[in-house]
Amino acid sequence: MGHPNAGKSSVVATLTENDRIAIDKRAGTTTTTDEYPVIIDGRPVMMFVDTPGFQNPSDILEWFQAHADEPDLAGAFVAAHGDDPMFSHDCALLRPVAEGAGIILVVDGSKRIKEKDRTEMELLRLTARPRMAILNNLSNISKHMPAWQDALNKSFNSVREFNAHRATYAERLALLGALKAIDQRWEPMLDETIRAFRDDWSRRIEASADTIIQLMKDALTKRVTRIVKVDDIKSDDQREAIQRQLTEALQQALRQLEVEAQQDIRGHFRHNVWDLPATSLLAKDLFSEEVEEALGLRQRQLAMAGAAAGAVSGGAIDLGLGGLAFGTVALIGGVVGGALGVLGGAALAKLDIQRTLGVERFSLGPVTNSRFPFVLLDRVILYAARAMNWAHGRQAADEQAPNRVPDKELGRKRGFTESLTPDDHRTLAKFFAAARKGKEDTPHEEQSREIIINILRGLSTSDLDARIGL
Ligand SMILES: Nc1nc2c(ncn2[C@@H]2O[C@H](COP(=O)(O)OP(=O)(O)OP(=O)(O)O)[C@@H](O)[C@H]2O)c(=O)[nH]1
Ligand SMILES: [Mg+2]
């Protein structure tokens, strides 16, 4: 409950992980009293009821005061006004309370308290139902918060600050935990809900790690091929053009794999509305310089990890020319070293050209570039971090990301793999090397999965806005 535009629907959206609830900056968005279950393991464990807010709070308060000896004021009010069209909204609002629901009042703590607010607090107190107040803060003005705390503490069993746009998983759990304090009878149900939430969260993290491992394996075995009749290749320019097409095709295939993995992860964390500002690293092209600079390992880390894993590709252009023996090596080398598929001075993948029976078979892949898998891994973890921490009530809010010093100026990367230990780097590099060869279920794969799970667990609680550049 609460004023129009206090953020009621946003709180419900965040707590129930439902980003399809109508939320808008205009007041009066919610026009009916709607039920939103919290579903865990396909089972509704509790229900939130979103409301349009009081229409005639002073009339209700007056009636409550005149009938103060009624044991169940909400029920009595509904019984007395159920047929009165003037009060149909207020009855819809009080009906769940009459039926036993607890009350959560949502207020915008960035605004000054008005008389109407005091009226609502008082009438909710008179219902004598278990009640909690949530201090939302819509515009980051905190000077009125202490006054709200004082006023709310007088009429509510519990008063909590909760930011519907920024609340993390941990804060959602804490709020559910706090609901226990307002009515002891709810304790077993809430304990079960919280337990189910925790288990579910672990499962989502594991499912995301599986998605990520699979992405790495798919990306590192991807190969694109083209067969052309020798007679159709009349010049080196044509050979160059084919190579260019193959590089574009390989990049496109890798982008597609990333998109599919992202969709999976989004699904694990129940996000449907998903807009990224153009400034987000996640909105940039996977093969852009910006992404490569911000993510992945530093040169020295890469060299050490690569040496341990017997990396296929160092700083030089790696050109396989299996079976090919004519004078285009320099040319092809030149092409690969140009604008095409180069990451950190090394080609993305090996080009292989074989000539048999009047045809030339061009194939590019799998990726041999040692930087690329770390960049890809960092980016998909970044994506998971956003999926885990983007409150559902925030939807596609177009607010500005907080100002921060560009990481470039700080001279640091913004990914996650960089901060891992050299041991972990080696493990990952060995997993990548094995994946490239199509090996399944190696010990390094299992260890890499654990590394990823640990990173994801660590991301569940921190405020990542600044880091991700949302
Ligand atoms: N910055 C910020 N904005 C918020 C927060 N919570 C809600 N808002 C914004 O406040 C506006 C109103 O939010 P709603 O959730 O629709 O509010 P409501 O109380 O359901 O409004 P009605 O249904 O019209 O009564 C929207 O523009 C939200 O994006 C918050 O925690 N931080
Ligand atoms: Mg609403």
Side-chain angles (χ1 to χ4, degrees), residues 399-470:
E399 53 187 287
Q400 292 289 312
N403 280 336
R404 59 192 174 82
V405 186
D407 295 288
K408 232 177 180 172
E409 285 169 28
L410 294 174
R412 62 179 167 89
K413 300 245 180 195
R414 284 155 64 191
F416 304 94
T417 54
E418 188 207 23
S419 333
L420 295 171
T421 63
D423 259 358
D424 286 348
H425 290 157
R426 277 194 292 277
T427 301
L428 288 169
K430 285 179 181 167
F431 160 54
F432 298 152
R436 216 173 257 130
K437 293 181 190 136
K439 291 188 188 158
E440 294 277 348
D441 305 324
T442 58
H444 295 121
E445 175 180 326
E446 189 44 42
Q447 287 161 15
S448 296
R449 186 174 176 272
E450 287 305 315
I451 292 171
I452 293 167
I453 288 177
N454 274 332
I455 297 177
L456 296 182
R457 284 214 183 103
L459 292 176
S460 305
T461 49
S462 46
D463 178 11
L464 285 160
D465 271 12
R467 179 161 196 173
I468 304 179
L470 297 166

Side-chain angles (χ1 to χ4, degrees), residues 107-396:
V107 302
D108 177 3
S110 63
K111 294 211 183 86
R112 187 185 303 284
I113 308 179
K114 303 215 179 69
E115 199 42 45
K116 206 172 162 196
D117 296 306
R118 296 192 191 278
T119 304
E120 289 175 4
M121 286 184 231
E122 178 58 9
L123 84 84
L124 290 176
R125 188 183 69 81
L126 290 177
T127 63
R129 296 292 311 159
R131 56 204 175 276
M132 167 193 267
I134 287 182
L135 261 169
N136 200 354
N137 192 316
L138 265 53
S139 43
N140 295 322
I141 298 169
S142 47
K143 65 176 176 199
H144 304 301
M145 297 287 264
W148 275 108
Q149 285 278 4
D150 285 346
L152 291 167
N153 271 320
K154 290 189 189 114
S155 316
F156 289 78
N157 314 80
S158 164
V159 179
R160 308 267 314 178
E161 288 186 26
F162 184 79
N163 186 314
H165 273 200
R166 311 241 162 215
T168 60
Y169 154 76
E171 286 161 351
R172 290 197 325 254
L173 279 192
L175 185 76
L176 289 179
L179 285 172
K180 284 194 284 195
I182 71 175
D183 190 331
Q184 229 176 11
R185 287 165 297 177
W186 295 352
E187 219 172 287
M189 179 273 288
L190 282 164
D191 279 338
E192 197 198 327
T193 304
I194 291 168
R195 203 175 317 116
F197 241 128
R198 284 221 174 87
D199 292 348
D200 195 45
W201 193 259
S202 289
R203 274 196 299 273
R204 294 185 204 182
I205 284 181
E206 293 191 6
S208 301
D210 290 341
T211 300
I212 292 171
I213 290 284
Q214 194 57 47
L215 166 67
M216 300 312 297
K217 293 203 285 192
D218 290 346
L220 290 172
T221 46
K222 197 80 208 167
R223 177 194 280 268
V224 289
T225 308
R226 233 185 116 185
I227 294 168
V228 185
K229 284 199 191 116
V230 173
D231 295 344
D232 290 346
I233 303 177
K234 305 225 161 47
S235 67
D236 286 343
D237 282 354
Q238 267 174 310
R239 208 171 257 113
E240 242 182 77
I242 293 169
Q243 193 179 339
R244 197 170 293 125
Q245 287 161 12
L246 276 181
T247 304
E248 185 44 48
L250 179 61
Q251 291 188 341
Q252 198 45 41
L254 294 169
R255 287 187 192 106
Q256 185 55 34
L257 288 174
E258 189 194 28
V259 167
E260 286 163 11
Q262 291 179 341
Q263 281 166 352
D264 270 6
I265 290 171
R266 228 158 85 183
H268 298 327
F269 291 95
R270 305 183 182 176
H271 284 288
N272 303 293
V273 181
W274 191 270
D275 285 357
L276 286 168
T279 49
S280 166
L281 256 191
L282 290 167
K284 308 272 186 237
D285 181 46
L286 177 59
F287 296 99
S288 64
E289 218 171 283
E290 208 169 343
V291 167
E292 202 229 315
E293 264 172 24
L295 304 179
L297 299 188
R298 292 160 185 277
Q299 189 55 46
R300 201 169 42 83
Q301 295 176 315
L302 196 61
M304 281 169 61
V312 250
S313 158
I317 304 292
D318 197 344
L319 246 193
L321 291 165
L324 187 74
F326 46 82
T328 55
V329 178
L331 167 90
I332 293 175
V335 171
V336 177
L340 281 179
V342 179
L343 268 178
L348 183 59
K350 236 170 165 176
L351 177 74
D352 189 66
I353 307 172
Q354 288 181 7
R355 183 184 280 180
T356 39
L357 304 170
V359 296
E360 274 185 33
R361 185 174 180 278
F362 292 73
S363 65
L364 189 67
V367 170
T368 47
N369 187 291
S370 55
R371 258 163 213 273
F372 177 73
F374 285 97
V375 172
L376 182 66
L377 176 59
D378 259 342
R379 205 159 75 154
V380 72
I381 293 173
L382 200 58
Y383 192 92
R386 193 199 196 245
M388 290 159 91
N389 288 284
W390 189 260
H392 289 72
R394 198 166 169 186
Q395 297 192 347

Side-chain angles (χ1 to χ4, degrees), residues 4-10 24-25 27-30 136 138 163-165:
N5 235 26
K8 301 178 295 296
S9 299
S10 305
D24 199 275
K25 55 179 178 294
T29 306
T30 307
N136 200 354
L138 265 53
N163 186 314
H165 273 200

